[in-house]
Amino acid sequence: MSIYLYILVMAGVTYLIRMLPLALATKEINSNFIKSFLYYVPYACLAAMTFPAILSSTEFLISGIAGLVVAVIVAYKEKSLVVVALCACAAVFICERIIVWIA
């Protein structure tokens, strides 16, 4: 029975976090600083969640760094998300095979 209570509390807290800003902000936001801050918050949160996972999801740290560098370079060249992901995966795969072969 306690698992249902935990789920109910988590659902309530999640709902309140999303509902309260909408309920409390009745006027339009005119401050350019606050608009800019709110615009970049999703990108900052995504980067904060993704970056540690990139470095820790591979067997070797160097292969994670290689995949990150390749992804940044390919993304900077304005390629599609699929191309960026495939190039990063290929870089990690090749790097890990080289490391295993050397060691």
Side-chain angles (χ1 to χ4, degrees):
M1 179 63 183
S2 65
I3 187 80
Y4 296 115
L5 180 63
Y6 294 148
I7 292 172
L8 183 66
V9 170
M10 284 184 352
V13 169
T14 303
Y15 178 74
L16 284 175
I17 289 172
R18 289 178 169 83
M19 186 266 312
L20 279 178
L22 292 174
L24 297 178
T26 56
K27 320 186 270 188
E28 182 180 345
I29 298 172
N30 294 325
S31 170
N32 286 334
F33 176 76
I34 294 176
K35 283 183 180 180
S36 173
F37 176 78
L38 292 174
Y39 178 79
Y40 288 111
V41 164
Y43 301 112
C45 290
L46 182 63
M49 291 185 303
T50 306
F51 186 72
I54 290 171
L55 299 179
S56 65
S57 64
T58 60
E59 190 173 347
F60 303 101
L61 178 65
I62 192 72
S63 61
I65 293 170
L68 176 64
V69 168
V70 168
V72 168
I73 291 170
V74 175
Y76 186 74
K77 294 185 178 197
E78 297 182 358
K79 301 298 180 186
S80 72
L81 182 61
V82 173
V83 173
V84 172
L86 288 174
C87 289
C89 289
V92 169
F93 180 77
I94 291 168
C95 188
E96 288 204 357
R97 295 299 136 228
I98 290 172
I99 292 171
V100 168
W101 181 67
I102 290 173

